[in-house]
Amino acid sequence: MIKRSFASDNNAGVHPEIIKAIKAANEGHVIAYGDDPFTARAVKLFQKHFGRDIAVHFVFGGTGANVLGLKAITKSYQAIICAETAHVNVDECGAPEDFTGCKLLAISTSDGKLRVEQIKPLLHGIGVEHHVQPAVISISQATEMGTVYTKKELKTLASFAHEQGMLLHVDGARLANAAVSLGASLKEITADVGVDVLSFGGTKNGMIYGEAVVFFNPKLADDFKYIRKQGMQLSSKMRFISAQFEAMLSGNLWRRGPEHANRMARLLAGELAKLSQIKITQPVEANGVFAVIPKKYIPALQKKYFFYVWDEEISEVRLMASFDTSEDDIRDFVKFVRKTVK
Ligand SMILES: Cc1ncc(COP(=O)(O)O)c(C=O)c1O
């Protein structure tokens, strides 16, 4: 068997229950582009988890979900406020800027989380024609640094955004990891706290591909079907995305994988923390572990285990657990790290 590494939850395969659902959906013909019973059932499940009054549309990938969700709620003279570490800022090759025309106003954070006090100074140009007009606060939940916004923090950001006439967008590629971390339902950390638009991840949670853009005010989605098609994210064989979401959301699969992955991340961090040469740098609140490992050991470690160096300057690495990470994987990795850094 090919070794499991800790580089990304995207490196994991597909959950067997998802494969089963895809296989079951592979019978006969249904109407293409989403006018099919699988999609109708999946949309109902989204309504069950996120509330009845939503509009939801499926897309292929996370970048597509973020970019098109943001495009639906912005104009090109506006700005999107985000953390410097946000996927929209550093990992989407400028697609948010290209597709929306908006300027991204990125804020440096210690832990991937935005706070109201950091946002306020960016709002002085509101109403001034020489300046871009901040229209959206975009946050990631869980964050790219493995931290999780509390319900209170989310509520504070949403209320502030709304007071300023802005909207709150959430990149929820790992929303399920955040929900289980908080012991909350999906609705409690989105609709109930005032989120306006959400990218809901499926891929990192064991789907082959497929993400959803959820609008908590359906009026915001009025043009989305055109935006999605023009944005090349309309799947003709939509039933195969929908069948995966149906499998995810009809039982507890949506939270089983993240519960396990989060637990594995905590275990990994706990074991690494016992090594004096290694320093855990972020609270482990979801499925990511950030650690400073002295530079001289990294090549030897990467020879056997692939992972990313997150911050070259301080030799901080990112290690991710997935739904299929096992305790043996962690034991073997930690044993190898211990031997390498000795
Ligand atoms: C926070 C976050 N958002 C979105 C994505 C989705 O990206 P992709 O377009 O690769 O599916 C990722 C994937 O790494 C991510 O980590």
Side-chain angles (χ1 to χ4, degrees), residues 158-174:
S159 305
F160 177 72
H162 298 155
E163 277 160 29
Q164 302 296 326
M166 297 190 288
L167 297 173
L168 183 66
H169 168 264
V170 173
D171 175 347
R174 298 187 183 88

Side-chain angles (χ1 to χ4, degrees), residues 10 61-64 66 87 92 140 142 144 171 173-174 203-204 211 318:
N10 276 338
T63 299
N66 283 338
H87 199 267
E92 300 188 353
S140 305
E144 288 79 359
D171 175 347
R174 298 187 183 88
T203 317
K204 289 175 185 8
E211 316 275 306
R318 184 189 81 159

Side-chain angles (χ1 to χ4, degrees), residues 108-163:
S108 168
T109 70
S110 57
D111 57 0
K113 289 195 206 176
L114 288 183
R115 288 166 180 91
V116 165
E117 291 314 310
Q118 299 168 294
I119 298 172
K120 279 181 182 166
L122 300 178
L123 306 184
H124 297 309
I126 288 182
V128 181
E129 66 189 316
H130 301 283
H131 301 297
V132 285
Q133 299 296 297
V136 176
I137 298 172
S138 178
I139 61 171
S140 305
Q141 173 75 320
T143 73
E144 288 79 359
M145 302 308 293
T147 52
V148 170
Y149 288 90
T150 63
K151 277 190 242 176
K152 190 162 168 245
E153 288 171 330
L154 293 168
K155 241 186 219 162
T156 302
L157 279 173
S159 305
F160 177 72
H162 298 155
E163 277 160 29

Side-chain angles (χ1 to χ4, degrees), residues 166-217:
M166 297 190 288
L167 297 173
L168 183 66
H169 168 264
V170 173
D171 175 347
R174 298 187 183 88
L175 191 82
N177 296 83
V180 302
S181 173
L182 295 168
S185 69
L186 296 170
K187 183 166 173 284
E188 281 169 338
I189 58 168
T190 53
D192 293 357
V193 292
V195 172
D196 297 292
V197 182
L198 165 75
S199 302
F200 180 63
T203 317
K204 289 175 185 8
N205 201 3
M207 283 170 50
I208 285 189
Y209 64 89
E211 316 275 306
V213 185
V214 184
F215 294 88
F216 294 94
N217 169 2

Side-chain angles (χ1 to χ4, degrees), residues 46 57 90 134 145 180 277 280-281 322:
F46 269 84
H57 298 278
V90 287
M145 302 308 293
V180 302
Q277 299 91 332
I280 305 297
T281 52
S322 329

Side-chain angles (χ1 to χ4, degrees), residues 201-242:
T203 317
K204 289 175 185 8
N205 201 3
M207 283 170 50
I208 285 189
Y209 64 89
E211 316 275 306
V213 185
V214 184
F215 294 88
F216 294 94
N217 169 2
K219 283 297 292 166
L220 297 173
D222 275 355
D223 298 329
F224 194 77
K225 61 181 181 179
Y226 311 110
I227 290 170
R228 178 175 62 177
K229 180 66 189 187
Q230 194 180 51
M232 297 163 279
Q233 289 278 324
L234 176 62
S235 171
S236 57
K237 295 195 178 180
M238 184 74 82
R239 71 168 130 160
F240 295 103
I241 297 180
S242 307

